[in-house]
Amino acid sequence: MKLKAIFVLIFISLTSALFSEVFKSNVEASYYADKYHGRKTASGEIFNMYDMTCAHKTLPFGTVLRITNLKNNKIVDVRVNDRGPFVKNREVDVSKAAAQKLGMIGSGTARVKIEILNSALAKTKSSVKAAFWDVQVGSFSSHENANNLAQNLLKKGFENVYFQKTSTVTRVVIKKIPNSKLELTESKLRENGYKDFIVKKNS
């Protein structure tokens, strides 16, 4: 019986290793809820705080993560559908429902381990390293206002500032930001007072 139990434990460990990859450990998770409930996420989905979703700065939308609260060992699986968190040293923002399963509603934050479950990213990390992103800083019905924003961004040292025009609006976008520079760009935008920007994968 003891040998059988040991074999089962080894089999479970090997099976888990095949289908998951530790992404980061001992990082900080937070959660977001009521204020953003019903708003559009960076992926275009509507945020539902009762769904098992999360926000991450760089991982591709649709990536499924297993998050373990290192304090109580509670686990939840969530899908990336938004960008964030926009607080220094925080790695992931989970929905309220996910936070409840992790037992972190009272504390607001938790130290966690993050594993990648779906094969899209687990096949290779090079897909993340090679990613490029576009950041929409503003959208205006007036081209003059869009031009003023673009000029301000250029004066503050931002590069690759473009206009994206539709029949109704002109968007100001910083294009093709390497994955390695995305967090720095976001921090620089916030430092200069630009907080309502939208991050999308460059296509």
Side-chain angles (χ1 to χ4, degrees), residues 148-172:
N148 289 338
L149 173 58
Q151 292 302 320
N152 285 335
L153 290 171
L154 291 170
K155 288 177 182 177
K156 294 180 185 299
F158 292 96
E159 300 177 349
N160 297 328
V161 179
Y162 288 83
F163 293 130
Q164 289 180 341
K165 294 183 179 181
T166 70
S167 59
T168 56
V169 299
T170 300
R171 300 186 179 97
V172 180

Side-chain angles (χ1 to χ4, degrees), residues 10 17 65 128:
I10 293 172
L65 305 178
V128 176

Side-chain angles (χ1 to χ4, degrees), residues 44-111:
E45 293 182 22
I46 300 301
F47 174 62
N48 184 341
M49 64 183 182
Y50 303 111
D51 286 343
M52 294 300 170
T53 58
C54 71
H56 192 273
K57 297 182 183 73
T58 58
L59 290 174
F61 296 134
T63 302
V64 179
L65 305 178
R66 173 160 291 171
I67 300 178
T68 304
N69 187 332
L70 295 177
K71 185 175 182 180
N72 57 25
N73 290 320
K74 292 184 176 181
I75 296 172
V76 69
D77 294 344
V78 291
R79 178 174 55 84
V80 178
N81 73 339
D82 204 0
R83 289 289 167 239
F86 301 120
V87 176
K88 188 177 181 181
N89 296 326
R90 288 188 187 173
E91 184 66 26
V92 65
D93 255 342
V94 300
S95 65
K96 185 175 183 179
Q100 288 173 330
K101 283 188 172 291
L102 288 170
M104 55 177 282
I105 291 291
S107 60
T109 61
R111 304 302 295 182

Side-chain angles (χ1 to χ4, degrees), residues 57-61 83 126-135 160 173-182 199-203:
K57 297 182 183 73
T58 58
L59 290 174
F61 296 134
R83 289 289 167 239
S126 63
S127 60
V128 176
K129 293 177 182 177
F132 289 90
W133 307 89
D134 294 342
V135 178
N160 297 328
V173 181
I174 304 172
K175 292 186 68 66
K176 207 169 183 180
I177 302 167
N179 189 72
S180 60
K181 294 184 178 180
L182 179 62
V199 180
K200 296 181 180 179
K201 193 169 184 179
N202 178 271
S203 56

